[in-house]
Amino acid sequence: MNLSYYIENLLRRWNVWRFNRCARGVLSTPHLVLGKDGPLLLSMVHHRDVLPYLLALKSFAHRLQPSRVVVVADPTIDADDEALFRQQVPGIELRRAHEFEQLGVPTGGTWERLMAIAHYVKEGYVIQLDADTLTLANIDHVVDCCKRNISFTLGTYDLQAKVGVAEVSRWAKSHCDTHAIPHVQLRCEAALLTAAAAGDTDKTYIRGCSGFAGFGRESFTADDVVALSRRMQQHIGEAWSKWGTEQFASNFIVGNIPGSQVLPHPVYTTPNRINHTTVMVHFIGPLRYYKGIYLREARRFLGRALAEHA
């Protein structure tokens, strides 16, 4: 290992410490009050992400008040975490990940989250909110989707549209051919005609991100997920259990819900693409501490929240 590796590692530790120190300020903000008519917010949360999750949740709820909040607890969530959730979000519903394990579907890697969404979408509109997001301003597109029961997902900077499965499959296969060990999501996308069942080329796909997605009431079922999972497992074998396959499944499901939309980029984006139009940021892993934007925006939200409460 060279010197640059150690410097980068130390810098990341410093950034994590600074952000977590700031994030503790969320505990001084008012507890979240649930509304009557808003969506159900669902997140799968790990112990290390409890404070960032509360920031994500409260910054979102400041713009769109949820009627219910559900946490699918990773096995690392302990009793202290649960007590903190209940203190900060009275009425929160805590479920354990193992409750949503399903025969025919992988376990781990956020698959339980998708199965939980399939459970709750029978009852109303569900928004999946990752712990590493921050809502910066009014989220008009999302509010409109909720009102009209339209499903949505985050897009990527280079593609904000539904694309036919045959076209995506050709594109993914060409990229797989240039990699000795292609990423599992690429392998899944190359097999999209299998995912579509019996070569149904009328199906579409959104190359988006499952970190922030909305699912209209009764828009899909657990049986849809199981059927997709079994087809893909038969095609790519053990690779179907790897991290990244749940995102592929979410993209495919949202892409084939009638009327579903891709949120516009960079209005909803990652920190390296942020501009004056941005209202929500997904601080995805490799970009989490990019240029200190996460820390800056967390401080800004906390300053507003505390000033309003004063």
Side-chain angles (χ1 to χ4, degrees):
M1 296 182 184
N2 56 33
L3 181 61
S4 63
Y5 170 83
Y6 288 105
I7 292 174
E8 289 175 6
N9 188 45
L10 285 172
L11 182 60
R12 180 171 180 82
R13 286 170 178 257
W14 169 244
N15 287 331
V16 170
W17 181 85
R18 291 176 71 211
F19 179 82
N20 287 340
R21 184 168 178 264
C22 167
R24 290 199 64 81
V26 75
L27 302 180
S28 299
T29 61
H31 68 256
L32 191 148
V33 177
L34 299 178
K36 293 183 178 179
D37 302 319
L40 182 156
L41 293 187
L42 185 146
S43 305
M44 189 169 184
V45 184
H46 189 284
H47 171 74
R48 64 173 177 262
D49 295 324
V50 169
L51 293 178
Y53 164 70
L54 290 172
L55 277 171
L57 175 63
K58 289 188 177 184
S59 67
F60 181 91
H62 188 68
R63 307 292 175 173
L64 178 56
Q65 187 182 37
S67 59
R68 298 171 68 183
V69 172
V70 174
V71 162
V72 178
D74 180 271
T76 59
I77 292 294
D78 59 27
D80 289 339
D81 296 330
E82 293 182 357
L84 191 59
F85 285 141
R86 292 191 173 98
Q87 184 262 325
Q88 291 290 313
V89 190
I92 193 170
E93 301 169 45
L94 300 177
R95 305 289 299 270
R96 287 288 170 180
H98 68 78
E99 297 179 58
F100 298 102
E101 292 178 2
Q102 173 77 46
L103 185 66
V105 175
T107 57
T110 70
W111 273 99
E112 291 82 1
R113 180 180 74 186
L114 184 59
M115 297 311 298
I117 295 169
H119 170 79
Y120 283 106
V121 83
K122 294 181 291 186
E123 305 171 18
Y125 197 100
V126 178
I127 292 178
Q128 198 298 113
L129 182 74
D130 262 11
D132 56 355
T133 60
L134 277 178
T135 305
L136 314 182
N138 291 335
I139 46 176
D140 297 336
H141 300 88
V142 174
V143 172
D144 182 63
C145 285
C146 289
K147 288 180 178 178
R148 298 166 57 197
N149 199 43
I150 292 173
S151 302
F152 69 82
T153 194
L154 274 175
T156 57
Y157 76 94
D158 55 349
L159 183 62
Q160 295 105 54
K162 295 182 181 182
V163 181
V165 291
E167 181 179 346
V168 177
S169 180
R170 285 193 297 270
W171 172 86
K173 284 177 181 176
S174 68
H175 281 71
C176 284
D177 291 343
T178 64
H179 293 78
I181 306 177
H183 190 278
V184 68
Q185 186 169 337
L186 272 177
R187 290 185 60 187
C188 292
E189 289 164 349
L192 266 167
L193 293 180
T194 297
D200 185 354
T201 55
D202 290 334
K203 295 291 186 181
T204 55
Y205 182 75
I206 298 172
R207 200 165 203 274
C209 176
S210 61
F212 183 55
F215 300 84
R217 182 171 185 168
E218 298 182 336
S219 55
F220 77 106
T221 68
D223 289 343
D224 295 330
V225 182
V226 172
L228 170 63
S229 178
R230 285 177 171 162
R231 290 196 300 270
M232 294 302 297
Q233 199 279 331
Q234 289 173 1
H235 189 84
I236 68 171
E238 293 183 4
W240 184 240
S241 63
K242 291 184 177 180
W243 179 273
T245 54
E246 182 272 342
Q247 176 158 276
F248 164 83
S250 179
N251 289 342
F252 183 80
I253 288 166
V254 176
N256 289 287
I257 295 171
S260 60
Q261 297 182 4
V262 187
L263 295 178
H265 216 279
V267 182
Y268 302 80
T269 191
T270 48
N272 59 324
R273 299 285 173 176
I274 195 170
N275 70 12
H276 68 282
T277 69
T278 301
V279 300
M280 170 176 270
V281 185
H282 183 208
F283 294 91
I284 193 167
L287 299 171
R288 184 149 304 163
Y289 303 107
Y290 177 80
K291 293 186 176 181
I293 295 172
Y294 200 7
L295 177 61
R296 184 187 74 208
E297 294 300 339
R299 283 175 172 166
R300 184 173 297 172
F301 166 71
L302 290 172
R304 287 197 305 265
L306 291 171
E308 291 173 5
H309 183 55

